[in-house]
Amino acid sequence: MRLLWELLVLHSVMVCLAGGCQAFINVYATLVLAWIALIYLLLAQTVPLLYLTTPDSFLSFAFTIRMDSALTELLIQDPDNIYAQGQCLHFEMYTREYEEEEQKMRSGKSSSHPSWISSVSDDNTLHGPVFLQEPDSLIFPLDSEEKKVKLSCEVKGNPRPTIGWKLNGSSIDVGMDYRYSLLEGSLLINNPNKSQDAGTYQCVATNPFGTVVSREAKLQFAYLENFKTRTRSTVSVRQGQGMVLLCGPPPHSGELTYAWIFNEYPTFVHQDNRRFVSQETGNLYIAKVETSDVGNYTCVVTNTVTSSKVLGPPTPLVLRNDGVMGEYEPKIEVQFPETVPSAKGTTVKLECFALGNPVPTISWRRADGKPIPRKARRHRSSGLLEIPNFQQEDAGLYECVAENVRGRNVARGQLTFYAQPSWTQRIGDVHAAIEERVSWECRASGRPKPSYRWLKDGEPLLPQGRVQLEQGSLTIPNVSLSDAGMYQCVAENRHGVIFTSAELSVIAIGPDFSKTLLKKLTLVKVGGEVIIECKPKASPRPTYSWKKGKDILRENESRVLLAEVEREKDPELCSGGIRPPEHSEMCPLKAQRLESHLGTASRATGVITCGLSAEPAHPPSDEQPNGQYHIREIILIILIARQASFKRITVLDDGSLRIVNVTKSDAGSYTCVATNHFGTASSTGSLVVKDPTRVMVSPFSMDVTVGESIVLPCQVSHDHSLDIVFTWSFNGHLIDFEKDGDHFERVGGQDSAGDLMIRSIQLKHAGKYVCMVQTSVDKLSAAADLIEGKMNPALLPRVTGILLQPRRSPGSPEAVSIDEVTDTTAQLSWRPGADNHSPITMYVVQARTPFSVGWQAVSTVPEIIDGRTLTATVVGLNPWVEYEFRVVAANLIGIGEPSRPSEKRRTEEALPEVTPANVSGGGGSKSELVITWETVPEELQNGGGFGYVVAFRPLGTVSWMQTVVASPDAARYVFRNESLPPFSPYEVKVGVYNNKGEGSFSPVTVVYSAEEEPTRAPTTVLARSLSASDVEVSWAPPWENQHKGRIQGYEVRCWRHDEKEENAKRIRTVGNQTSARVSNLRGNALYHLAVRAYNTAGTGPSSAAVNVTTKKPPPSQPPGNIVWNSSDSKIILNWDQVKALDNESEVRGYKVLYRWNRQSSTSVIETNKTSVELSLPFEEDYIIEIKPFSDGGDGSSSEQIRIPKISNAYARGSGSSTSSACTLSALSTIMISLTARSSL
């Protein structure tokens, strides 16, 4: 130790003599630190502790190194008196490879199967059967002239497979039935018979490597027989009545289509909103029969497979002569099933059609409120809804709505989604060595979820012994030769079956290098690392050994000592020479990052880096050209441990040879020798070691003036036997010297120089330039950081020293953490992100909870967070809610990207503060008090164990009854007590509680207990007919002293004599009303009516039913031959008398409705004549309608008549539609008869 200190003193004196004592003072601290570290390293002592203090001022530091029990302290205190004049020592001890890193490389991942194994790629390779074409399901027309069925099957394999067939799981003996024959594997069936040949077929392929079976193919037969019935009975209906003609198709197989002939071919029934032919049943539906429908109808059935047609016997349709059918509500005759299973990708067709008068309109909707898919199409006046390419989202409850003026009816059906199995993961061929582990996994999608089974060589494979099966996975832990064969995974659900096949080959061969020879020539640099791959074909896996030349190569161990101690070689910066005055730093520190090289502390050898940097104390002057500099920082990095032992030459697990820290002596020929039970083989290649490339002159940062030209140097030393390539990048993008040749040019003139010339520099050229050098053995780069552009004073006076850096909005803040939380606050901290050359002015905190919609800004303390503040307290949070936070920075340019979210933290619990809203209740059954409220949202419950406290008391009493409802989702409480008086008022309030205690109660509200149903029926029930569609019913309320239960109103029930009472129409009145009008009834029909009282508890007993018959329907014929005349200010209208039919009410008079063309209000005049005189001014157009009325109500109205504004004193005209108004002269007369329309 004394000798070492003497060496230190001697070195100090030499430094003082060479550069002056002042220089000695400048570097004294660095020498002491470096020598101490070097001494400890050479003694191979453990340094478990490093303590380094570097204050922000960089003007003082202290460190301590503890050596076992010895403690040495070095303290430099007053660095202001220390000056540096260009001296800098730079010590580096480079580590080599470490055992941990080497072990990681040695145990690197390798494929589970040898690299030489590949899938079957050509027919020259021996392999098992593989299907090229599998049979498809088909439908064969029985009347086909070909009389032959072909089921295709094409297979490849080596040796060529033999092919057989199965029908319904049993093998077909082709030789035993002359009708069967094979054509290159395909099955031909001559004179097919539907009773013998229909079924499920599979192709079976076999060669010495195993057997596979194809997918299942169904063979079906299509046919269409003739109708059996020769004649059909006549169908007699009333005009206006709905009608169904049945088709009744004959026996058949295959899809059918239907049409109907009217009277004779080729006149087919045209489908519209009144007529519909169902493609499900073939039936013809006519919603409302008209006189034009009378005739003969013939059903035409077509088989879409065979294209054959048959005609059914004609069905005559005649009209009855007992009157016309009145109007009635829609009756849906064609509707789709309650459940419609629909396959993925298919076209779903839903039929819906209704009979009714007037003709009903058909509309479609989804019961869940979602819109009908836009791709859906409506046909045949909406009687058919077609949904192409059916998908999961199209499934749901669909409704068909049929309606007319008399009512509406709804049919519903659930479309369910199903999908046949479809492979998402197939199995592939596996070539495995003996005793290797083999596993397959197959996966299929489908609805319902598919199940799986496995086949080996066409036979079911069961889990037994070494074979492990679990759903879609198959595992054999250690394969043997008996496991070789063809395997198939089968996925199936009730809608289909699919197969995927693979071959398992068990390999047993000696090593073979014929296709994987060692690389003939491998290049590597001195000090580098090389891996020579050795991957012969072999099974089982061989053992490996290596030779260098003729000598066996052994893995060796090396011990790492101090590798290099050198002085900084820059003559201008670190050897006392004249330093350029623009350099503001002394000697840039070259600290090396070591994380990628170091192992654990007990094995790492370490690095020492010592450097100085300084700032001017006095600028350079004539007297002192170098100036004087304060020491700005002294940094010491010491990572020292025991000398590490590692293997420089290693044989990896896959047989490859790895050499690290390559030297010239490693060059030569190398031979890999592979051996297993079946033999030995070897392969040889050469290793050539080249000198590494080193950067001799690297580019450096500089200030430039806009408009001038500079050269950035990049010069290297390298092995001249290797080609070298120089490239340059600017701000991360490669420079294109052809495209940017006006400013950039490669200069240098020799292969070791790649200097960059930048001509006529512009502001846009400021940035980072990197010189990249690459040879076939190494690559390296050197960079000049930022070029600071100065404006030419001649171009812009007094503008100098502009730093050209792009300014952007700030980067994301980092490391957002939650330091502390309370019930309503959270303390946050974070680190700033990049300011992107514009100072951060403000931070904003955002929060997110499971209940919020995205991220929301939150209140903080301080309210405004400036750019220098990196902590904040978030206030106003909800207790017992899980929060996560993020921070957003802003500067003058804009708002940056948000930080990553913090971890999730839940605020602390607190007493609940929010009470339930809308406390109410009432109703229920006898002896019940029902109390309801709106639940408190989870985010406002303030803690766990949340529940409700329900309090109630009779109105006017003092004490409260309370009960606890423990569920936070409860919104109702029912108190039951036989002594509870009916319909009594109670004061009610609902409170809240959680784990922290009870909160407050809601405001008090009054709720009534359940009441009793009325106990008596109304009396004196009377009914009278008002028209063909309306009756009036009246009644007297029960005597007050004879009944219990409050009466809220009355319910009138009305049903036709031929209907069931439970289907009665119901009308409710409110309050004390004792009469009601029942509308929309059928004319000339007997109805029964009954009345009963009701309240919230239910309905009371019903009165006795009374009967009433509605009046006959009003006349269905409108007035015809309407003629009008004008004279002075009068208009005279005349029309033909309307005669009622036998089943209609007699005409009592006529109503004339008139209005101005521009008005909506209508005036009415009644008359019992067939003419009327109107006193109307001529300054306006008039719209007039005429309709008869009777006891049954108003009859059919004429079409609207427009009487134009007339300037002449006299005019005359006849009825016409509004759209065909005429202007008439005094002498002109137009007679237009209005055609009557039939109505039900």
Side-chain angles (χ1 to χ4, degrees):
M1 182 65 73
R2 179 178 179 181
L3 177 59
L4 290 173
W5 278 110
E6 289 175 352
L7 290 173
L8 175 59
V9 174
L10 177 60
H11 186 277
S12 302
V13 173
M14 293 175 65
V15 170
C16 188
L17 292 176
C21 292
Q22 191 173 25
F24 166 75
I25 297 172
N26 291 340
V27 300
Y28 180 77
T30 303
L31 292 174
V32 172
L33 298 180
W35 276 106
I36 291 176
L38 180 59
I39 292 165
Y40 293 160
L41 180 63
L42 293 175
L43 293 175
Q45 297 296 319
T46 300
V47 181
L49 173 66
L50 170 64
Y51 173 78
L52 176 62
T53 301
T54 308
D56 293 339
S57 64
F58 297 110
L59 295 179
S60 65
F61 80 95
F63 71 93
T64 303
I65 301 174
R66 188 175 65 196
M67 269 178 52
D68 298 335
S69 60
L71 180 64
T72 303
E73 293 186 357
L74 176 62
L75 179 63
I76 299 178
Q77 297 176 340
D78 195 14
D80 287 339
N81 295 328
I82 301 178
Y83 297 91
Q85 291 189 350
Q87 296 290 340
C88 177
L89 289 180
H90 190 193
F91 295 90
E92 293 188 2
M93 189 216 53
Y94 299 96
T95 59
R96 301 303 183 204
E97 303 296 337
Y98 299 98
E99 182 179 349
E100 182 176 310
E101 182 69 17
E102 182 225 8
Q103 186 64 28
K104 179 179 178 182
M105 290 294 295
R106 288 194 60 191
S107 59
K109 294 181 179 179
S110 60
S111 60
S112 58
H113 304 295
S115 61
W116 49 266
I117 292 176
S118 61
S119 60
V120 175
S121 59
D122 57 64
D123 288 337
N124 294 327
T125 305
L126 297 174
H127 63 88
V130 177
F131 284 109
L132 299 178
Q133 182 181 8
E134 297 184 67
D136 293 313
S137 296
L138 58 86
I139 302 176
F140 180 76
L142 272 181
D143 57 359
S144 172
E145 296 180 358
E146 188 174 353
K147 300 301 181 183
K148 184 181 296 183
V149 172
K150 180 181 179 181
L151 295 171
S152 298
C153 181
E154 184 178 355
V155 186
K156 75 171 183 177
N158 193 3
R160 185 173 181 176
T162 59
I163 296 178
W165 285 84
K166 288 183 177 182
L167 171 58
N168 297 328
S170 300
S171 296
I172 298 176
D173 190 343
V174 177
M176 293 298 292
D177 192 334
Y178 72 94
R179 296 183 306 114
Y180 292 127
S181 61
L182 292 180
L183 178 62
E184 295 182 352
S186 299
L187 179 65
L188 297 180
I189 307 175
N190 293 297
N191 299 316
N193 184 290
K194 69 177 182 179
S195 60
Q196 297 178 6
D197 299 324
T200 301
Y201 288 78
Q202 283 183 287
C203 177
V204 183
T206 303
N207 76 358
F209 291 98
T211 301
V212 289
V213 295
S214 72
R215 66 186 174 209
E216 298 176 345
K218 291 185 178 180
L219 174 60
Q220 298 172 291
F221 291 84
Y223 59 91
L224 178 61
E225 299 181 4
N226 290 317
F227 282 88
K228 297 293 190 293
T229 307
R230 294 299 179 184
T231 60
R232 291 193 176 182
S233 302
T234 300
V235 177
S236 178
V237 296
R238 296 168 63 187
Q239 182 179 343
Q241 184 178 358
M243 180 206 68
V244 182
L245 293 182
L246 304 181
C247 179
H252 64 276
S253 176
E255 185 179 358
L256 302 181
T257 61
Y258 301 91
W260 285 78
I261 296 175
F262 179 54
N263 287 331
E264 60 183 15
Y265 183 83
T267 304
F268 285 88
V269 173
H270 174 68
Q271 298 187 61
D272 51 22
N273 63 338
R274 195 172 64 84
R275 290 166 294 193
F276 183 81
V277 177
S278 171
Q279 296 303 312
E280 296 292 333
T281 63
N283 299 337
L284 170 63
Y285 300 84
I286 302 179
K288 170 189 170 186
V289 174
E290 298 179 353
T291 55
S292 60
D293 296 323
V294 174
N296 290 324
Y297 290 83
T298 303
C299 180
V300 181
V301 183
T302 303
N303 191 310
T304 60
V305 180
T306 65
S307 299
S308 59
K309 294 182 181 179
V310 294
L311 276 64
T315 303
L317 174 65
V318 299
L319 290 180
R320 293 165 53 180
N321 56 8
D322 57 349
V324 177
M325 187 74 172
E327 294 184 350
Y328 62 96
E329 66 181 16
K331 179 182 179 183
I332 295 179
E333 287 288 342
V334 181
Q335 66 183 73
F336 47 101
E338 292 184 359
T339 302
V340 184
S342 306
K344 176 182 179 182
T346 60
T347 297
V348 179
K349 297 180 180 180
L350 303 179
E351 292 185 340
C352 182
F353 193 74
L355 311 182
N357 188 5
V359 175
T361 60
I362 304 294
S363 60
W364 295 85
R365 67 189 182 192
R366 288 184 63 161
D368 55 11
K370 296 180 181 178
I372 295 288
R374 295 182 62 182
K375 61 186 177 182
R377 299 185 291 267
R378 296 165 178 81
H379 302 284
R380 303 169 195 160
S381 299
S382 294
L384 174 66
L385 179 67
E386 188 176 279
I387 306 174
N389 191 23
F390 189 79
Q391 300 296 323
Q392 175 71 54
E393 60 269 18
D394 300 326
L397 184 63
Y398 284 71
E399 294 182 338
C400 164
V401 182
E403 56 185 329
N404 61 15
V405 296
R406 290 300 182 184
R408 62 188 297 180
N409 209 335
V410 178
R412 299 179 179 86
Q414 183 79 32
L415 267 65
T416 59
F417 175 84
Y418 75 84
Q420 297 180 353
S422 176
W423 290 119
T424 59
Q425 180 177 336
R426 297 174 180 266
I427 60 176
D429 293 344
V430 171
H431 302 256
I434 292 177
E435 297 184 352
E436 275 193 346
R437 175 186 176 89
V438 170
S439 62
W440 272 304
E441 186 173 17
C442 57
R443 285 288 176 262
S445 61
R447 182 131 183 191
K449 186 177 180 180
S451 60
Y452 301 91
R453 54 189 173 90
W454 288 82
L455 307 176
K456 181 191 175 187
D457 293 331
E459 299 298 329
L461 185 64
L462 301 178
Q464 57 184 359
R466 295 174 300 102
V467 179
Q468 302 169 9
L469 300 180
E470 183 177 355
Q471 287 295 336
S473 65
L474 181 150
T475 302
I476 306 175
N478 50 342
V479 297
S480 63
L481 290 175
S482 62
D483 295 318
M486 300 300 299
Y487 289 78
Q488 290 180 281
C489 176
V490 185
E492 56 190 332
N493 61 17
R494 61 174 176 265
H495 304 293
V497 183
I498 55 176
F499 294 73
T500 178
S501 306
E503 178 183 352
L504 173 59
S505 300
V506 181
I507 310 299
I509 59 173
D512 179 11
F513 281 98
S514 60
K515 294 184 179 180
T516 55
L517 291 172
L518 259 65
K519 191 175 180 182
K520 287 186 177 181
L521 188 65
T522 302
L523 299 179
V524 67
K525 69 176 180 179
V526 173
E529 173 186 329
V530 66
I531 294 179
I532 306 175
E533 291 187 343
C534 177
K535 295 184 178 179
K537 179 179 180 181
S539 179
R541 183 188 300 274
T543 58
Y544 300 94
S545 62
W546 282 82
K547 295 180 181 179
K548 183 184 179 187
K550 296 182 179 180
D551 299 327
I552 295 177
L553 190 64
R554 301 186 182 279
E555 297 180 324
N556 62 351
E557 293 189 356
S558 298
R559 302 184 66 82
V560 178
L561 295 176
L562 183 64
E564 187 175 358
V565 177
E566 64 176 14
R567 294 172 58 88
E568 176 60 53
K569 296 180 180 179
D570 190 325
E572 289 189 341
L573 295 184
C574 296
S575 297
I578 297 178
R579 182 173 48 81
E582 65 267 23
H583 282 272
S584 60
E585 289 193 348
M586 180 68 186
C587 199
L589 182 66
K590 297 183 179 178
Q592 183 181 2
R593 295 185 63 85
L594 306 172
E595 290 88 334
S596 63
H597 299 289
L598 293 178
T600 60
S602 63
R603 292 195 293 268
T605 56
V607 169
I608 303 173
T609 300
C610 171
L612 295 176
S613 62
E615 58 188 10
H618 303 286
S621 61
D622 294 338
E623 293 80 10
Q624 192 171 16
N626 289 338
Q628 290 184 328
Y629 294 82
H630 288 303
I631 293 176
R632 187 157 65 86
E633 61 179 341
I634 300 176
I635 299 178
L636 176 66
I637 301 175
I638 302 178
L639 297 170
I640 302 176
R642 296 188 184 277
Q643 300 173 10
S645 296
F646 70 99
K647 295 179 179 179
R648 197 177 68 86
I649 300 175
T650 310
V651 178
L652 303 180
D653 291 341
D654 66 352
S656 299
L657 178 67
R658 177 173 179 252
I659 307 175
V660 300
N661 193 20
V662 174
T663 66
K664 289 281 189 178
S665 61
D666 291 323
S669 65
Y670 288 83
T671 301
C672 176
V673 181
T675 303
N676 69 7
H677 302 301
F678 302 101
T680 299
S682 63
S683 180
T684 302
S686 296
L687 177 66
V688 177
V689 182
K690 299 290 186 178
D691 289 328
T693 305
R694 300 182 186 274
V695 176
M696 306 306 295
V697 181
S698 61
F700 52 87
S701 300
M702 63 178 68
D703 292 336
V704 296
T705 303
V706 172
E708 72 171 314
S709 299
I710 65 165
V711 174
L712 292 178
C714 185
Q715 299 178 13
V716 300
S717 66
H718 71 102
D719 192 311
H720 292 281
S721 65
L722 301 175
D723 292 331
I724 187 168
V725 178
F726 290 89
T727 55
W728 284 83
S729 68
F730 170 50
N731 287 338
H733 300 284
L734 285 178
I735 296 176
D736 187 338
F737 288 97
E738 292 184 3
K739 180 180 178 181
D740 302 319
D742 292 342
H743 294 284
F744 298 111
E745 181 183 355
R746 269 275 315 277
V747 296
Q750 53 182 341
D751 64 350
S752 297
D755 301 346
L756 173 67
M757 173 179 283
I758 309 175
R759 295 194 190 90
S760 184
I761 290 178
Q762 306 297 314
L763 293 177
K764 64 181 180 180
H765 294 139
K768 183 174 184 178
Y769 290 82
V770 179
C771 173
M772 293 167 285
V773 186
Q774 184 168 0
T775 69
S776 56
V777 297
D778 58 1
K779 61 181 178 180
L780 65 161
S781 62
D785 290 334
L786 284 172
I787 296 177
E788 302 177 358
K790 296 180 180 177
M791 298 298 294
N792 191 322
L795 301 177
L796 187 60
R798 299 184 181 179
V799 178
T800 59
I802 298 177
L803 181 62
L804 301 179
Q805 294 173 322
R807 296 194 301 160
R808 302 191 304 273
S809 54
S812 304
E814 300 173 350
V816 178
S817 63
I818 305 174
D819 301 328
E820 183 181 355
V821 293
T822 67
D823 55 349
T824 59
T825 66
Q827 178 73 37
L828 305 183
S829 63
W830 60 89
R831 293 202 308 264
D835 63 8
N836 291 331
H837 314 302
S838 179
I840 296 174
T841 58
M842 183 177 65
Y843 290 101
V844 176
V845 178
Q846 298 174 338
R848 180 171 65 180
T849 73
F851 315 105
S852 65
V853 181
W855 290 92
Q856 307 288 336
V858 291
S859 301
T860 59
V861 176
E863 185 175 354
I864 298 177
I865 308 170
D866 60 46
R868 297 182 301 275
T869 302
L870 301 178
T871 62
T873 300
V874 183
V875 297
L877 304 179
N878 289 330
W880 199 241
V881 172
E882 189 177 66
Y883 283 90
E884 54 182 336
F885 300 93
R886 70 181 186 185
V887 180
V888 181
N891 59 15
L892 295 178
I893 305 303
I895 299 174
E897 291 294 321
S899 68
R900 291 178 179 270
S902 67
E903 76 275 18
K904 296 179 181 179
R905 288 277 294 277
R906 188 185 287 272
T907 50
E908 295 181 353
E909 293 181 304
L911 287 174
E913 297 178 353
V914 177
T915 60
N918 294 332
V919 176
S920 60
S925 303
K926 182 180 179 181
S927 303
E928 288 184 349
L929 174 64
V930 179
I931 303 169
T932 61
W933 61 89
E934 289 186 6
T935 59
V936 176
E938 183 180 348
E939 65 268 28
L940 301 177
Q941 293 175 2
N942 288 13
F946 185 84
Y948 301 95
V949 179
V950 182
F952 54 94
R953 65 185 179 188
L955 184 64
T957 61
V958 177
S959 60
W960 292 90
M961 291 181 282
Q962 289 190 1
T963 187
V964 172
V965 180
S967 171
D969 299 323
R972 188 172 185 265
Y973 172 72
V974 179
F975 173 70
R976 295 180 178 85
N977 193 318
E978 294 297 331
S979 63
L980 203 67
F983 205 66
S984 298
Y986 280 79
E987 289 183 312
V988 172
K989 60 182 180 180
V990 180
V992 290
Y993 72 91
N994 61 18
N995 291 336
K996 298 291 286 186
E998 293 189 14
S1000 54
F1001 279 90
S1002 66
V1004 175
T1005 187
V1006 175
V1007 174
Y1008 284 83
S1009 61
E1011 54 187 341
E1012 292 181 320
E1013 303 94 337
T1015 57
R1016 293 283 183 175
T1019 60
T1020 319
V1021 180
L1022 301 173
R1024 66 187 183 95
S1025 176
L1026 301 178
S1027 67
S1029 60
D1030 300 287
V1031 298
E1032 183 182 63
V1033 59
S1034 61
W1035 61 89
W1039 294 102
E1040 293 187 3
N1041 58 354
Q1042 293 182 351
H1043 79 91
K1044 296 180 182 179
R1046 180 177 64 102
I1047 295 178
Q1048 265 188 297
Y1050 296 91
E1051 181 182 86
V1052 179
R1053 293 181 297 122
C1054 175
W1055 65 98
R1056 209 166 56 240
H1057 181 67
D1058 56 352
E1059 293 178 334
K1060 294 182 179 180
E1061 182 177 352
E1062 53 265 26
N1063 298 328
K1065 177 183 292 188
R1066 288 173 169 79
I1067 298 174
R1068 283 196 170 189
T1069 66
V1070 179
N1072 297 323
Q1073 181 179 341
T1074 57
S1075 65
R1077 184 171 182 151
V1078 184
S1079 302
N1080 297 325
L1081 303 179
R1082 181 182 294 181
N1084 196 25
L1086 175 63
Y1087 283 89
H1088 307 286
L1089 297 101
V1091 184
R1092 57 186 177 186
Y1094 74 88
N1095 59 21
T1096 58
T1099 55
S1102 178
S1103 69
V1106 297
N1107 302 330
V1108 64
T1109 301
T1110 54
K1111 298 182 182 297
K1112 290 183 179 181
S1116 57
Q1117 296 286 346
N1121 294 328
I1122 301 172
V1123 179
W1124 59 270
N1125 295 276
S1126 67
S1127 175
D1128 296 329
S1129 61
K1130 297 180 180 179
I1131 295 176
I1132 301 173
L1133 293 164
N1134 291 279
W1135 59 87
D1136 289 348
Q1137 182 178 359
V1138 175
K1139 294 184 179 181
L1141 301 177
D1142 294 342
N1143 62 336
E1144 296 176 344
S1145 300
E1146 292 296 327
V1147 177
R1148 292 177 49 208
Y1150 300 90
K1151 292 182 180 180
V1152 180
L1153 297 84
Y1154 63 93
R1155 62 180 173 85
W1156 287 357
N1157 191 21
R1158 293 178 296 175
Q1159 283 189 339
S1160 58
S1161 60
T1162 300
S1163 301
V1164 180
I1165 293 178
E1166 292 189 3
T1167 179
N1168 56 5
K1169 301 178 180 180
T1170 57
S1171 64
V1172 70
E1173 183 178 289
L1174 303 177
S1175 298
L1176 302 173
F1178 290 135
E1179 288 80 9
E1180 297 289 343
D1181 293 351
Y1182 285 91
I1183 303 296
I1184 295 178
E1185 295 179 58
I1186 304 173
K1187 58 183 175 183
F1189 67 87
S1190 65
D1191 290 340
D1194 292 345
S1196 298
S1197 175
S1198 69
E1199 295 195 19
Q1200 291 183 347
I1201 304 165
R1202 178 175 176 266
I1203 299 180
K1205 178 172 61 177
I1206 302 174
S1207 57
N1208 297 354
Y1210 300 95
R1212 189 176 185 190
S1214 64
S1216 66
S1217 66
T1218 304
S1219 61
S1220 57
C1222 301
T1223 301
L1224 307 176
S1225 68
L1227 300 178
S1228 65
T1229 303
I1230 300 177
M1231 302 297 292
I1232 300 179
S1233 298
L1234 299 180
T1235 302
R1237 294 180 300 172
S1238 298
S1239 59
L1240 296 180

